[in-house]
Amino acid sequence: MVDNKQQWKAWLYLSPAIILLLVFTVWPIINTLRMAFLEGYGVQSEFGGATFEFGIGNFLKVIQYKGFIDCLVNTILLCVLTVPISTLLALLIAVALNSIKGLQKLLQTIFFLPYVTNSIAIGMVFAAMFNVIGNIGIENELIVSPGIVNNVLGIFGIEPISWINNGSEYWANIVVMVVYIVWNALPFKILVLLGGLQAINTQYYDAAKVDGTSRARVFTRITVPLLSPMLAYVIITGFIGGFKEYTSIVGIFGETMGPPHDSGRLDTMVRFIYEAIGRDQQGRASAAALILFVIIFIVTQLNMKFGKKSVHY
């Protein structure tokens, strides 16, 4: 413990971090609360001398917005589909990696590469994979290339599917987004779960081996329960990240957030917030941000409540 007479030195050393925290974290939170309850608030309008009444008008406008439900449904759907799939795949891959000793470091590096790669760049690559490309030939005839994914599906006799182009269905767009988000979320979850696996005492596995316990039973009765704190962590952070989904959709579809014929089909809550800021509707954007925060908070609390029975520390 720092001596009372020397505490000023500790505060002096901490002051740069505290100042940055106050300026870039605490104040924005307070300002967001302030703007959310100032009806019709806009920064440019405020500089122009406009005054704003205190109320809940911004929240009502967000809820009454015709595309609000679509944004909310898209956000929840992507969360519900991607978090369980990515968590299960990450768990299986982590268990497999933990049993490999020779090339474990190399494989860890390979699996972690997507985590340090720009999301927009990855999205552009996935868009090219699912895209159906049309080129003009020598005699001005249209030559259509079904794309890499459709070429692979064609090997199994599956007809080409319009994934992200004109005429694509909503379910096809969702499938593309689920594949991309799951692939992009795997590295972090694999790293966390692998670290948890390596911290498990090997005596449990040695005892199970002596008893002749099957691998499936070892996995369900030893690995999963002892890894439950890490699983709870990746599930909660997965839902938090899923509710803030935006860059992945931009990477695939661009700023239209959907195929050319149906712009805005995959709008999310974060897109709604960004658009409101661009229209000088910071009050409405702040209200939407608070609504999103409440949703994330409720989901997190539900995860923690239902996870208490299955988490073993």
Side-chain angles (χ1 to χ4, degrees):
M1 182 177 294
V2 180
D3 186 83
N4 289 334
K5 295 181 180 180
Q6 302 297 324
Q7 281 190 3
W8 67 272
K9 292 183 179 180
W11 285 110
L12 180 63
Y13 295 143
L14 289 173
S15 59
I18 293 174
I19 293 172
L20 290 174
L21 187 67
L22 291 173
V23 173
F24 295 104
T25 301
V26 177
W27 167 244
I29 293 174
I30 296 174
N31 197 36
T32 298
L33 289 170
R34 180 183 72 89
M35 292 187 296
F37 289 96
L38 295 178
E39 297 189 5
Y41 178 84
V43 174
Q44 295 180 8
S45 301
E46 184 180 37
F47 287 156
T51 57
F52 310 97
E53 295 183 1
F54 184 86
I56 59 172
N58 291 325
F59 294 92
L60 295 177
K61 289 179 180 178
V62 170
I63 296 173
Q64 293 170 357
Y65 170 63
K66 61 180 181 180
F68 174 76
I69 297 299
D70 292 335
C71 294
L72 189 60
V73 168
N74 289 334
T75 304
I76 294 175
L77 183 60
L78 290 175
C79 281
V80 171
L81 291 176
T82 58
V83 174
I85 295 174
S86 61
T87 303
L88 178 59
L89 287 176
L91 176 60
L92 296 176
I93 294 172
V95 171
L97 278 176
N98 193 48
S99 63
I100 299 173
K101 302 302 179 184
L103 300 175
Q104 188 178 92
K105 297 297 181 182
L106 175 62
L107 293 174
Q108 279 183 256
T109 303
I110 293 173
F111 277 108
F112 193 68
L113 282 177
Y115 188 71
V116 295
T117 306
N118 184 273
S119 298
I120 300 297
I122 297 174
M124 294 173 66
V125 172
F126 269 77
M129 291 171 59
F130 284 94
N131 197 18
V132 177
I133 304 172
N135 296 316
I136 304 298
I138 298 176
E139 299 180 359
N140 291 327
E141 75 277 12
L142 180 63
I143 302 175
V144 179
S145 175
I148 298 173
V149 174
N150 280 328
N151 285 332
V152 173
L153 294 177
I155 298 175
F156 302 96
I158 301 176
E159 293 294 324
I161 299 172
S162 178
W163 296 104
I164 60 176
N165 300 85
N166 281 321
S168 60
E169 300 290 338
Y170 177 75
W171 68 266
N173 302 156
I174 291 294
V175 168
V176 174
M177 291 313 310
V178 168
V179 172
Y180 168 61
I181 295 172
V182 167
W183 186 83
N184 197 32
L186 281 177
F188 175 74
K189 294 185 178 182
I190 291 173
L191 185 68
V192 172
L193 295 178
L194 185 59
L197 283 170
Q198 293 174 345
I200 296 176
N201 195 324
T202 56
Q203 291 181 352
Y204 295 106
Y205 296 108
D206 294 337
K209 188 175 181 180
V210 171
D211 293 338
T213 309
S214 65
R215 290 185 177 182
R217 192 168 180 82
V218 169
F219 177 77
T220 56
R221 297 295 183 179
I222 297 178
T223 302
V224 173
L226 293 178
L227 205 60
S228 56
M230 298 299 179
L231 287 170
Y233 172 75
V234 297
I235 289 172
I236 290 173
T237 54
F239 273 108
I240 292 173
F243 275 105
K244 298 187 296 182
E245 202 62 64
Y246 173 71
T247 56
S248 58
I249 302 174
V250 172
I252 298 289
F253 293 98
E255 294 183 359
T256 59
M257 301 289 284
H261 70 285
D262 198 353
S263 177
R265 172 186 279 181
L266 296 179
D267 276 351
T268 61
M269 291 294 294
V270 175
R271 164 68 184 276
F272 176 86
I273 294 171
Y274 284 164
E275 280 195 337
I277 293 174
R279 295 194 297 264
D280 191 37
Q281 297 174 346
Q282 283 80 10
R284 194 176 302 184
S286 299
L290 289 180
I291 292 173
L292 182 59
F293 168 77
V294 171
I295 294 172
I296 293 174
F297 180 78
I298 292 173
V299 172
T300 302
Q301 292 301 313
L302 290 174
N303 272 312
M304 295 179 66
K305 181 179 180 180
F306 291 111
K308 284 183 178 179
K309 297 180 180 178
S310 57
V311 175
H312 304 278
Y313 293 98

